[in-house]
Amino acid sequence: DSGVTQTPKHLITATGQRVTLRCSPRSGDLSVYWYQQSLDQGLQFLIQYYNGEERAKGNILERFSAQQFPDLHSELNLSSLELGDSALYFCASSLRGLGGELFFGEGSRLTVL
Amino acid sequence: TQLLEQSPQFLSIQEGENLTVYCNSSSVFSSLQWYRQEPGEGPVLLVTVVTGGEVKKLKRLTFQFGDARKDSSLHITAAQPGDTGLYLCAGAETGNQFYFGTGTSLTVIP
């Protein structure tokens, strides 16, 4: 158990819809990262928050947004969903803002039909 | 975005065999990590290397960071079924986030 909690574990929705994925980091970790994992793209870095503020942006689409709340949990919002958005979405946390070990949750599997 | 290429992409071997997985990039990394991911779970850190030429051993696993800090290898001796999983390298340029490689899916057949 990594200590990182993600909900929901599975989500099935239709194209055009909007979903929210939730992540609770390990106790004491200030950084939260979001990654997308698909068969053809591997593990893609989307965005990072550190202590409530956006720290780094990767390959995140404009239809996607995220935030980190004062209690350090984070949410990833995916809107106007397309079939290609079907993937595993992982949240990871770390103590520091740069480098260090990433602790991953079990992921949220999104299926867009 | 850094591009880290791993080879081979898929590897299926018999229990007891040795294997090497490679991670290559044109970028110079301040540090490089190796993770293993099992089905239904998130990646778990195996090792972090930070010095060019560094070699780290973790039981039957040997990790090497290239002298120029652009590449790395993972060698497994006498592979066991429990080694089955997706092996991911992740590199970070100075001050940047870790970007993950394309992954090597290893299957060890009993």
Side-chain angles (χ1 to χ4, degrees):
Chain A
D1 182 6
S2 67
V4 178
T5 303
Q6 288 188 248
T7 57
K9 291 192 185 305
H10 302 276
L11 190 56
I12 301 174
T13 188
T15 55
Q17 296 298 304
R18 173 190 170 94
V19 299
T20 297
L21 309 180
R22 194 178 191 280
C23 170
S24 293
R26 280 192 332 155
S27 176
D29 284 356
L30 299 178
S31 271
V32 169
Y33 305 76
W34 285 99
Y35 286 86
Q36 179 193 58
Q37 187 175 43
S38 57
L39 286 176
D40 58 346
Q41 292 290 323
L43 200 61
Q44 297 287 312
F45 169 64
L46 296 179
I47 197 165
Q48 180 211 359
Y49 282 84
Y50 178 77
N51 204 20
E53 298 203 356
E54 183 183 304
R55 185 66 181 264
K57 234 176 188 179
N59 302 319
I60 188 166
L61 300 173
E62 287 190 9
R63 299 184 286 108
F64 297 179
S65 64
Q67 55 183 327
Q68 187 180 27
F69 296 87
D71 67 352
L72 301 179
H73 91 271
S74 178
E75 292 181 355
L76 178 66
N77 301 296
L78 315 175
S79 62
S80 302
L81 285 169
E82 302 175 359
L83 295 177
D85 297 328
S86 295
L88 261 172
Y89 290 85
F90 283 102
C91 168
S93 73
S94 69
L95 178 62
R96 301 181 296 173
L98 286 174
E101 180 175 358
L102 298 181
F103 294 88
F104 283 82
E106 294 186 343
S108 293
R109 180 174 293 281
L110 173 65
T111 302
V112 182
L113 301 176
Chain B
T1 302
Q2 306 158 355
L3 179 62
L4 290 93
E5 294 191 356
Q6 289 185 236
S7 62
Q9 188 176 359
F10 299 97
L11 190 55
S12 182
I13 62 171
Q14 295 289 330
E15 182 176 359
E17 291 184 353
N18 301 331
L19 67 114
T20 302
V21 175
Y22 299 93
C23 174
N24 294 290
S25 176
S26 57
S27 300
V28 176
F29 299 117
S30 60
S31 61
L32 190 140
Q33 297 178 332
W34 283 92
Y35 288 78
R36 181 170 68 207
Q37 183 180 13
E38 298 184 18
E41 299 181 9
V44 176
L45 181 68
L46 296 173
V47 76
T48 300
V49 286
V50 298
T51 305
E54 181 176 2
V55 176
K56 279 192 174 179
K57 291 190 175 183
L58 184 67
K59 297 183 180 178
R60 294 175 295 100
L61 278 60
T62 301
F63 304 85
Q64 184 161 7
F65 200 13
D67 291 340
R69 292 185 288 129
K70 292 183 178 181
D71 56 87
S72 181
S73 63
L74 158 60
H75 182 78
I76 301 179
T77 303
Q80 298 177 1
D83 296 327
T84 293
L86 179 67
Y87 288 81
L88 297 158
C89 63
E93 294 176 348
T94 303
N96 288 337
Q97 301 310 316
F98 281 101
Y99 286 86
F100 282 79
T102 48
T104 294
S105 180
L106 171 65
T107 302
V108 182
I109 304 167

